[in-house]
Amino acid sequence: MKTYTAWLPFLKEVPPRGLETAELAAWELEQGLRGLDCGLSGRCAVDGTMPEEAYRLERDGETCLVTGGRIGVLYGVYALLRALALGQALPEGVQRPFYPARMINCWDNADGSIERGYAGRSLWFEGGAVRYDPDRLLELARLMASVGLNVLCLNNVNVRDPAERLIEDWLPKLRELAALFRPFGIRLMVSVDFAQPMLHGIPTADPLDERVAAWWRERARDIWTQIPDLYGFLVKADSEHRPGPFTYGRSHAEGANMLARAIAPYGGKLVWRAFVYNCLQDWRDQTTDRPCAAYDTYVPLDGQFDANVILQVKNGPFDFQVREPVSPTLLKMAHTSLALEFQLAQEYTGQQIDIYAMAPLFREVFDEVPPEKVQAVAAVSNFGRDGNYFGHPFAAANLFSFGCFAWDPASEPGETMAAWAGLTYPSCARTLTEEILLPSREIYEQYTAPLGLCWMVNPNHHYGPNPMGYEFQSWGTYHRASRDAVGIDRTGAGTGYAAQYPPAMRARYENPETCPDRLLLFFHRLPYSFVMRDGRTLIQRIYDDHFEGAERVEKMAEILRTLPLPQPDRDTALARMEKQLANAREWRDVVNTFFWRFSGVPDAHGRKIYD
Ligand code: GCU
């Protein structure tokens, strides 16, 4: 019997190992219908003529019928069980995912730690080796498959010894893991180090050096012989001190294509991250503007990448801050396959202590980036070895909703959150959805960094306020608050970043009258006396947001205490809420005091701001 069923409470047993997908689908259907106790029977069948991941649901009296492609049949079973559990009508017609690759990137290190992991240690690494509890992985595979996620990258993009040798020394273990995930339609991927050949006596990692290319070809042959359906390699190159083609004066197209060609014969994909910027910037330098970096590096290379290269671009031009505009790179590379990258791990957004439901973020991003502009989606994982996988039981909602948006980018946050809450906590789904989950992003934003400023966090671990924490550092992360003004001018008169957007967006952002309030200080440097559209001054708006954000957390806490959540979720959620309350108060007071000390402008309502 499982101890944690997340959003699948009707699936109480861990599925057996070694089933084929069709057998697994039948097993899940049988168990799910029994768990739902709904008096219905069901059948599922593979229809070889349907696309692999597609399915169709039908009902004939008391019998439900799932028909699907090789993997779609399993997706169909989960969709059926979900609809029955929620009392929803079955979707009509053939259902299929919008994106072929719906990826999770784990930042797990071989020592068992997880970079930016807030839910315990790795589920498959410990002590420098691959170690795992198969039942827990089967449960995870089921959670992923139940929302249609189909690629799992096992190791950190910052490949560090000994995980560096994953593809050399640990192939038998990878093969075992691949077999565990395969019936669920999940293909594995591994992060590789661009300089990996140098661990094997090759004196260079120059992508145009034949010895380097030959080494990768051999590796690819070994790997795909063992794991014929490995999805591919994920690479972080020339980024935050990782090695890359720049060392050899080569472009990122040359670097990526060399690797892509090694794995192309096996159908492998080369996922190349576009997170490249100068992380050794002098803070005095006001002309270099970090958000410009990805576009400047990659847009000139559009059309030069091989067909099996996917360029993976973070949703915003910085780094998963609470509020960023969408990355203009996503809008400008029509001749390159792109993957849009989110971070489910709440690095800058509360670290799975503070409640932060991401469905509204996904909606906002797809409202600005037409879904067909990208060919795949990826998200940094938010799970680990904690009993409930996610640290905070509500953080599960983020994996769930990412799956929903990856399947259908036209998804609506309200429906997605209602579905997750309805499945997980049916007795209080509505209140949880409306009063807690849906507003949680806005509330978090109100009590933390104002109006698109970003980077007011404590350096390194990134939890809690520190308005000057990144101000004099080398990471290109400045708000340049002074006694008169705050923000960065990114218009044509400033760093020019806004010019990277298509004309209509550029015009909207460049004019403070039309720039959305939430991004005002991302695009503009404005005096504290600037009058916002609603008549308030900028400084007053900063104070108001912080007071209001912290108050809203207090209200949220009151509501949370009344919810009949099952144990141990209730205790976990309440304990974390105490920390969120403290965090919100700390943010409110630190940020308000910071701006009061600079501006000397008191709060118009006379609320307490510390000197
Ligand atoms: C952030 C994060 C790092 C991570 C990096 C990345 O900067 O703090 O831990 O390595 O993103 O996306 O590669």
mmCIF file of all heavy atoms in Angstrom, residues 58-59 92 112 132 160 173 213 220 314 325 348 354 371 386 399 406 410 418 445 470 476 488 523 540 554 601:
data_model
loop_
_atom_site.group_PDB
_atom_site.id
_atom_site.type_symbol
_atom_site.label_atom_id
_atom_site.label_comp_id
_atom_site.label_asym_id
_atom_site.label_seq_id
_atom_site.Cartn_x
_atom_site.Cartn_y
_atom_site.Cartn_z
ATOM 1 N N GLU A 58 -14.612 6.646 -24.556
ATOM 2 C CA GLU A 58 -16.038 6.476 -24.854
ATOM 3 C C GLU A 58 -16.714 5.791 -23.682
ATOM 4 O O GLU A 58 -16.070 5.083 -22.918
ATOM 5 C CB GLU A 58 -16.218 5.613 -26.112
ATOM 6 C CG GLU A 58 -15.899 6.344 -27.387
ATOM 7 C CD GLU A 58 -15.462 5.407 -28.506
ATOM 8 O OE1 GLU A 58 -14.540 4.608 -28.296
ATOM 9 O OE2 GLU A 58 -16.078 5.473 -29.569
ATOM 10 N N ARG A 59 -18.012 5.991 -23.624
ATOM 11 C CA ARG A 59 -18.745 5.314 -22.562
ATOM 12 C C ARG A 59 -20.010 4.717 -23.151
ATOM 13 O O ARG A 59 -20.727 5.368 -23.905
ATOM 14 C CB ARG A 59 -19.096 6.333 -21.478
ATOM 15 C CG ARG A 59 -19.768 5.672 -20.320
ATOM 16 C CD ARG A 59 -19.723 6.579 -19.118
ATOM 17 N NE ARG A 59 -20.679 6.076 -18.138
ATOM 18 C CZ ARG A 59 -20.905 6.635 -16.976
ATOM 19 N NH1 ARG A 59 -20.250 7.710 -16.636
ATOM 20 N NH2 ARG A 59 -21.788 6.122 -16.149
ATOM 21 N N GLU A 92 -14.408 14.785 -25.712
ATOM 22 C CA GLU A 92 -14.881 14.171 -26.960
ATOM 23 C C GLU A 92 -13.794 14.147 -28.006
ATOM 24 O O GLU A 92 -12.997 15.069 -28.107
ATOM 25 C CB GLU A 92 -16.074 14.959 -27.493
ATOM 26 C CG GLU A 92 -17.320 14.626 -26.713
ATOM 27 C CD GLU A 92 -18.533 15.371 -27.219
ATOM 28 O OE1 GLU A 92 -18.496 15.865 -28.362
ATOM 29 O OE2 GLU A 92 -19.502 15.451 -26.443
ATOM 30 N N GLY A 112 23.833 12.663 -4.157
ATOM 31 C CA GLY A 112 22.493 12.562 -3.567
ATOM 32 C C GLY A 112 21.856 13.914 -3.284
ATOM 33 O O GLY A 112 20.658 13.997 -3.013
ATOM 34 N N TYR A 132 18.349 3.434 -5.727
ATOM 35 C CA TYR A 132 16.953 3.868 -5.717
ATOM 36 C C TYR A 132 16.044 2.784 -5.160
ATOM 37 O O TYR A 132 16.394 1.619 -5.103
ATOM 38 C CB TYR A 132 16.511 4.230 -7.136
ATOM 39 C CG TYR A 132 16.663 3.095 -8.122
ATOM 40 C CD1 TYR A 132 15.621 2.206 -8.345
ATOM 41 C CD2 TYR A 132 17.858 2.900 -8.804
ATOM 42 C CE1 TYR A 132 15.761 1.154 -9.237
ATOM 43 C CE2 TYR A 132 18.009 1.846 -9.680
ATOM 44 C CZ TYR A 132 16.961 0.982 -9.903
ATOM 45 O OH TYR A 132 17.109 -0.063 -10.770
ATOM 46 N N ARG A 160 28.857 17.512 -12.459
ATOM 47 C CA ARG A 160 30.039 17.505 -11.607
ATOM 48 C C ARG A 160 30.440 16.085 -11.341
ATOM 49 O O ARG A 160 29.606 15.186 -11.259
ATOM 50 C CB ARG A 160 29.731 18.170 -10.267
ATOM 51 C CG ARG A 160 29.474 19.646 -10.412
ATOM 52 C CD ARG A 160 29.493 20.313 -9.062
ATOM 53 N NE ARG A 160 28.858 21.614 -9.193
ATOM 54 C CZ ARG A 160 27.587 21.836 -8.899
ATOM 55 N NH1 ARG A 160 26.835 20.876 -8.430
ATOM 56 N NH2 ARG A 160 27.067 23.031 -9.064
ATOM 57 N N LYS A 173 23.236 0.687 -14.973
ATOM 58 C CA LYS A 173 22.246 1.256 -14.060
ATOM 59 C C LYS A 173 21.239 2.138 -14.815
ATOM 60 O O LYS A 173 20.041 2.132 -14.528
ATOM 61 C CB LYS A 173 22.948 2.093 -12.974
ATOM 62 C CG LYS A 173 23.537 1.242 -11.892
ATOM 63 C CD LYS A 173 22.405 0.656 -11.064
ATOM 64 C CE LYS A 173 22.920 -0.074 -9.846
ATOM 65 N NZ LYS A 173 21.832 -0.807 -9.152
ATOM 66 N N ALA A 213 35.044 14.732 -31.788
ATOM 67 C CA ALA A 213 33.819 14.233 -32.438
ATOM 68 C C ALA A 213 33.787 12.707 -32.416
ATOM 69 O O ALA A 213 32.737 12.095 -32.165
ATOM 70 C CB ALA A 213 33.750 14.760 -33.870
ATOM 71 N N ALA A 220 28.126 7.622 -28.051
ATOM 72 C CA ALA A 220 26.723 7.540 -28.477
ATOM 73 C C ALA A 220 26.382 6.108 -28.880
ATOM 74 O O ALA A 220 25.334 5.578 -28.497
ATOM 75 C CB ALA A 220 26.476 8.500 -29.635
ATOM 76 N N LYS A 314 15.004 29.782 -21.126
ATOM 77 C CA LYS A 314 14.211 30.047 -19.925
ATOM 78 C C LYS A 314 13.048 30.990 -20.246
ATOM 79 O O LYS A 314 13.155 31.820 -21.157
ATOM 80 C CB LYS A 314 15.076 30.669 -18.822
ATOM 81 C CG LYS A 314 16.108 29.691 -18.254
ATOM 82 C CD LYS A 314 16.785 30.212 -16.986
ATOM 83 C CE LYS A 314 17.830 29.209 -16.522
ATOM 84 N NZ LYS A 314 18.384 29.468 -15.182
ATOM 85 N N PRO A 325 9.526 39.764 -17.971
ATOM 86 C CA PRO A 325 8.837 39.649 -19.255
ATOM 87 C C PRO A 325 9.253 38.325 -19.898
ATOM 88 O O PRO A 325 10.218 37.708 -19.445
ATOM 89 C CB PRO A 325 9.380 40.841 -20.055
ATOM 90 C CG PRO A 325 10.735 41.102 -19.463
ATOM 91 C CD PRO A 325 10.641 40.712 -18.002
ATOM 92 N N TYR A 348 13.475 30.990 -6.510
ATOM 93 C CA TYR A 348 13.289 32.405 -6.180
ATOM 94 C C TYR A 348 11.859 32.690 -5.740
ATOM 95 O O TYR A 348 11.472 33.840 -5.592
ATOM 96 C CB TYR A 348 13.616 33.272 -7.398
ATOM 97 C CG TYR A 348 15.078 33.239 -7.790
ATOM 98 C CD1 TYR A 348 15.542 32.380 -8.786
ATOM 99 C CD2 TYR A 348 16.003 34.067 -7.156
ATOM 100 C CE1 TYR A 348 16.883 32.346 -9.141
ATOM 101 C CE2 TYR A 348 17.341 34.047 -7.509
ATOM 102 C CZ TYR A 348 17.770 33.184 -8.498
ATOM 103 O OH TYR A 348 19.103 33.161 -8.855
ATOM 104 N N ASP A 354 6.930 28.775 1.005
ATOM 105 C CA ASP A 354 5.853 29.706 0.664
ATOM 106 C C ASP A 354 5.014 29.090 -0.469
ATOM 107 O O ASP A 354 5.550 28.432 -1.361
ATOM 108 C CB ASP A 354 6.432 31.051 0.193
ATOM 109 C CG ASP A 354 7.274 31.725 1.272
ATOM 110 O OD1 ASP A 354 7.879 31.006 2.094
ATOM 111 O OD2 ASP A 354 7.357 32.961 1.281
ATOM 112 N N PRO A 371 1.956 29.462 -28.575
ATOM 113 C CA PRO A 371 2.461 28.107 -28.336
ATOM 114 C C PRO A 371 3.225 27.506 -29.519
ATOM 115 O O PRO A 371 4.178 26.756 -29.326
ATOM 116 C CB PRO A 371 1.195 27.305 -28.045
ATOM 117 C CG PRO A 371 0.241 28.304 -27.478
ATOM 118 C CD PRO A 371 0.555 29.605 -28.150
ATOM 119 N N ASP A 386 11.608 13.287 -0.215
ATOM 120 C CA ASP A 386 10.633 13.519 0.856
ATOM 121 C C ASP A 386 9.457 12.574 0.708
ATOM 122 O O ASP A 386 9.069 12.242 -0.405
ATOM 123 C CB ASP A 386 10.057 14.945 0.739
ATOM 124 C CG ASP A 386 10.804 15.918 1.594
ATOM 125 O OD1 ASP A 386 11.872 15.551 2.085
ATOM 126 O OD2 ASP A 386 10.304 17.046 1.746
ATOM 127 N N LEU A 399 3.833 20.502 -10.540
ATOM 128 C CA LEU A 399 4.140 19.439 -11.515
ATOM 129 C C LEU A 399 2.877 19.105 -12.307
ATOM 130 O O LEU A 399 2.913 18.971 -13.533
ATOM 131 C CB LEU A 399 4.670 18.180 -10.805
ATOM 132 C CG LEU A 399 5.150 17.090 -11.770
ATOM 133 C CD1 LEU A 399 6.477 17.480 -12.414
ATOM 134 C CD2 LEU A 399 5.294 15.734 -11.087
ATOM 135 N N ALA A 406 1.771 21.564 -20.752
ATOM 136 C CA ALA A 406 2.620 20.931 -21.765
ATOM 137 C C ALA A 406 1.754 20.138 -22.745
ATOM 138 O O ALA A 406 2.023 20.080 -23.935
ATOM 139 C CB ALA A 406 3.638 20.013 -21.091
ATOM 140 N N ALA A 410 -3.273 25.804 -24.099
ATOM 141 C CA ALA A 410 -4.455 26.668 -23.956
ATOM 142 C C ALA A 410 -5.146 26.430 -22.615
ATOM 143 O O ALA A 410 -6.224 26.974 -22.362
ATOM 144 C CB ALA A 410 -5.429 26.413 -25.103
ATOM 145 N N ALA A 418 -8.314 23.754 -10.079
ATOM 146 C CA ALA A 418 -9.513 23.105 -9.530
ATOM 147 C C ALA A 418 -9.415 21.593 -9.715
ATOM 148 O O ALA A 418 -9.840 20.823 -8.847
ATOM 149 C CB ALA A 418 -10.761 23.665 -10.202
ATOM 150 N N GLU A 445 4.420 37.918 -5.059
ATOM 151 C CA GLU A 445 5.030 39.037 -5.774
ATOM 152 C C GLU A 445 4.873 40.343 -4.988
ATOM 153 O O GLU A 445 5.798 41.154 -4.909
ATOM 154 C CB GLU A 445 4.367 39.168 -7.135
ATOM 155 C CG GLU A 445 4.900 40.299 -7.974
ATOM 156 C CD GLU A 445 4.268 40.327 -9.344
ATOM 157 O OE1 GLU A 445 3.199 39.725 -9.531
ATOM 158 O OE2 GLU A 445 4.863 40.949 -10.234
ATOM 159 N N TYR A 470 22.548 41.560 -4.339
ATOM 160 C CA TYR A 470 23.159 41.322 -5.650
ATOM 161 C C TYR A 470 23.584 42.618 -6.330
ATOM 162 O O TYR A 470 23.886 42.631 -7.515
ATOM 163 C CB TYR A 470 22.187 40.532 -6.542
ATOM 164 C CG TYR A 470 22.279 39.037 -6.318
ATOM 165 C CD1 TYR A 470 21.278 38.334 -5.665
ATOM 166 C CD2 TYR A 470 23.395 38.335 -6.766
ATOM 167 C CE1 TYR A 470 21.383 36.969 -5.457
ATOM 168 C CE2 TYR A 470 23.510 36.977 -6.567
ATOM 169 C CZ TYR A 470 22.507 36.287 -5.913
ATOM 170 O OH TYR A 470 22.627 34.935 -5.718
ATOM 171 N N GLY A 476 25.410 40.526 -12.945
ATOM 172 C CA GLY A 476 24.583 41.311 -13.881
ATOM 173 C C GLY A 476 23.165 41.539 -13.388
ATOM 174 O O GLY A 476 22.225 41.604 -14.181
ATOM 175 N N ILE A 488 15.950 50.015 -14.093
ATOM 176 C CA ILE A 488 16.907 50.112 -15.197
ATOM 177 C C ILE A 488 16.152 50.594 -16.430
ATOM 178 O O ILE A 488 15.096 50.045 -16.755
ATOM 179 C CB ILE A 488 17.514 48.720 -15.511
ATOM 180 C CG1 ILE A 488 18.140 48.088 -14.256
ATOM 181 C CG2 ILE A 488 18.527 48.820 -16.653
ATOM 182 C CD1 ILE A 488 19.410 48.717 -13.776
ATOM 183 N N PHE A 523 11.630 47.763 -17.090
ATOM 184 C CA PHE A 523 11.929 48.487 -18.326
ATOM 185 C C PHE A 523 12.302 49.945 -18.127
ATOM 186 O O PHE A 523 12.796 50.574 -19.051
ATOM 187 C CB PHE A 523 10.729 48.399 -19.285
ATOM 188 C CG PHE A 523 10.611 47.055 -19.939
ATOM 189 C CD1 PHE A 523 9.708 46.112 -19.488
ATOM 190 C CD2 PHE A 523 11.448 46.707 -20.996
ATOM 191 C CE1 PHE A 523 9.618 44.863 -20.082
ATOM 192 C CE2 PHE A 523 11.366 45.465 -21.598
ATOM 193 C CZ PHE A 523 10.459 44.532 -21.136
ATOM 194 N N GLN A 540 4.620 55.010 -3.095
ATOM 195 C CA GLN A 540 3.443 54.575 -2.341
ATOM 196 C C GLN A 540 2.995 53.193 -2.789
ATOM 197 O O GLN A 540 2.590 52.357 -1.984
ATOM 198 C CB GLN A 540 2.315 55.598 -2.494
ATOM 199 C CG GLN A 540 1.159 55.367 -1.543
ATOM 200 C CD GLN A 540 1.605 55.341 -0.074
ATOM 201 O OE1 GLN A 540 2.417 56.159 0.345
ATOM 202 N NE2 GLN A 540 1.097 54.369 0.693
ATOM 203 N N GLU A 554 -1.490 36.691 5.843
ATOM 204 C CA GLU A 554 -2.154 36.439 7.134
ATOM 205 C C GLU A 554 -3.574 35.898 6.921
ATOM 206 O O GLU A 554 -3.988 34.937 7.566
ATOM 207 C CB GLU A 554 -2.170 37.709 7.986
ATOM 208 C CG GLU A 554 -0.872 37.827 8.760
ATOM 209 C CD GLU A 554 -0.563 39.208 9.294
ATOM 210 O OE1 GLU A 554 -1.505 39.986 9.544
ATOM 211 O OE2 GLU A 554 0.638 39.502 9.450
ATOM 212 N N VAL A 601 10.508 59.381 1.836
ATOM 213 C CA VAL A 601 9.077 59.639 1.684
ATOM 214 C C VAL A 601 8.318 58.738 2.642
ATOM 215 O O VAL A 601 8.438 57.516 2.568
ATOM 216 C CB VAL A 601 8.608 59.349 0.235
ATOM 217 C CG1 VAL A 601 7.118 59.641 0.083
ATOM 218 C CG2 VAL A 601 9.435 60.135 -0.769
#
